[in-house]
């Protein structure tokens, strides 16, 4: 058994807290109102640490409690809310400002020299608060192991890519369904209809 598999086996045997998820890269456990991520992959650990250190206090990510670089361990607050997939399946609705908020987060990361080429739209990494009377919610995102630092000269191109991407998501039902794996077509159709209605009522053509 190689060292990485041995560490994984020992960690799983010794861990008495509730295990939320475990892979060859990371084990995630819950302890009261804290989430503890123990990494077996140093590359992902470093990426996630970079994000938490630079964006500490940002409302779009969980509150950082502690980083232990010797143990490759990050402790953060437990988010009160459901991931996007569970939220939609249980509530049969999508918050009106869902895409607007996601685009803000995408650009916030870019402004801080971060970009996620692979996991940003993972429905299990997007957490939704309960909607208010207007149908709006707050969003937090998690899991930054695949986030990379980008060079300043790349920003303008990526910023334009984000704009194009979200324009498509806001206008193409099939693309929205493909990105977010929602099987109930009625929920998606209602989301697009309600967005359009809200935009017309507000008179603001820039709000999707």
């Amino acid at each position: 058994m190689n060292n990485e598999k041995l560490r994984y086996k020992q960690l799983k045997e010794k861990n008495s807290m509730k295990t939320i998820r475990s892979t060859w890269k990371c084990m995630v456990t819950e302890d009261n109102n804290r989430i503890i991520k123990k990494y077996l992959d140093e590359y992902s650990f470093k990426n996630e640490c970079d994000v938490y250190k630079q964006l500490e206090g940002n409302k779009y990510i969980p509150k950082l409690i502690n980083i232990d670089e010797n143990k490759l361990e990050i402790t953060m607050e437990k988010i009160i809310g459901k991931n996007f997939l569970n939220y939609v399946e249980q509530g049969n609705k999508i918050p009106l400002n869902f895409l607007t908020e996601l685009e803000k987060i995408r650009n916030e990361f870019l402004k801080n020299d971060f970009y996620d080429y692979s996991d940003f739209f993972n429905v299990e990494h997007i957490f939704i608060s309960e909607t208010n009377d207007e149908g709006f919610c707050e969003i937090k995102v998690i899991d930054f192991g695949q986030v990379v630092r980008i060079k300043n000269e790349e920003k303008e191109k990526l910023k334009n890519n984000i704009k194009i991407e979200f324009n498509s998501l806001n206008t193409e039902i099939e693309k929205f369904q493909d990105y977010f794996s929602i099987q109930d077509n009625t929920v998606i159709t209602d989301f697009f209809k309600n967005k359009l209605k809200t935009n017309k009522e507000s008179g603001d053509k820039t709000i999707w």
Side-chain angles (χ1 to χ4, degrees):
M1 183 179 293
N2 62 39
N3 290 337
E4 190 173 270
K5 288 184 178 180
L6 179 60
R7 287 175 61 196
Y8 174 81
K9 182 175 183 294
Q10 291 173 338
L11 179 63
K12 195 166 185 179
E13 288 173 349
K14 292 180 179 180
N15 203 310
S16 59
M17 293 178 287
K18 179 182 177 182
T19 300
I20 298 175
R21 185 175 73 252
S22 60
T23 68
W24 290 110
K25 287 187 176 182
C26 177
M27 177 174 286
V28 183
T29 55
E30 178 184 337
D31 180 20
N32 295 321
N33 292 320
R34 303 183 306 157
I35 296 296
I36 302 167
K37 298 184 73 173
K38 174 71 175 179
Y39 281 87
L40 301 168
D41 171 47
E42 291 188 25
Y43 174 81
S44 297
F45 173 74
K46 181 183 181 302
N47 288 348
E48 186 129 355
C49 282
D50 284 348
V51 172
Y52 272 106
K53 288 176 180 178
Q54 187 157 330
L55 294 181
E56 186 171 3
N58 190 291
K59 69 177 183 178
Y60 297 126
I61 67 173
K63 179 181 178 182
L64 176 67
I65 296 175
N66 184 58
I67 292 176
D68 190 326
E69 297 190 5
N70 292 322
K71 294 182 179 179
L72 302 185
E73 189 173 279
I74 301 175
T75 305
M76 66 206 71
E77 70 171 351
K78 178 184 177 182
I79 297 176
I80 306 301
K82 302 180 181 74
N83 69 45
F84 179 68
L85 188 60
N86 289 339
Y87 182 93
V88 173
E89 287 179 346
Q90 294 174 23
N92 293 314
K93 63 181 179 180
I94 300 169
L96 287 174
N97 64 332
F98 172 67
L99 289 174
T100 304
E101 290 299 297
L102 266 193
E103 186 173 7
K104 288 179 184 177
I105 296 171
R106 193 76 151 145
N107 280 306
E108 179 74 11
F109 272 61
L110 182 62
K111 186 176 75 175
N112 285 276
D113 305 326
F114 294 119
Y115 197 80
D116 189 335
Y117 284 95
S118 59
D119 282 349
F120 182 78
F121 292 100
N122 187 321
V123 292
E124 294 183 350
H125 296 176
I126 302 168
F127 279 76
I128 310 290
S129 71
E130 289 301 322
T131 54
N132 61 19
D133 292 339
E134 296 177 325
F136 296 158
C137 72
E138 294 182 356
I139 293 177
K140 289 183 184 289
V141 292
I142 64 168
D143 284 359
F144 314 119
Q146 301 304 310
V147 172
V148 297
R149 281 194 176 274
I150 52 99
K151 297 177 181 178
N152 195 55
E153 56 265 31
E154 298 176 277
K155 281 188 176 181
E156 197 59 37
K157 180 180 178 180
L158 289 172
K159 185 176 181 180
N160 188 55
N161 288 348
I162 291 171
K163 183 177 180 180
I164 293 171
E165 186 172 46
F166 277 90
N167 281 346
S168 296
L169 286 170
N170 273 292
T171 56
E172 300 173 24
I173 290 179
E174 288 184 359
K175 184 163 187 174
F176 185 95
Q177 187 172 29
D178 181 57
Y179 267 50
F180 299 107
S181 304
I182 297 173
Q183 302 304 315
D184 190 337
N185 289 330
T186 303
V187 171
I188 301 177
T189 302
D190 287 346
F191 171 60
F192 275 78
K193 285 181 179 178
N194 290 333
K195 282 197 304 108
L196 182 61
K197 180 182 177 182
T198 301
N199 293 343
K200 287 181 176 179
E201 290 176 350
S202 68
D204 188 344
K205 297 179 181 179
T206 64
I207 298 177
W208 293 102

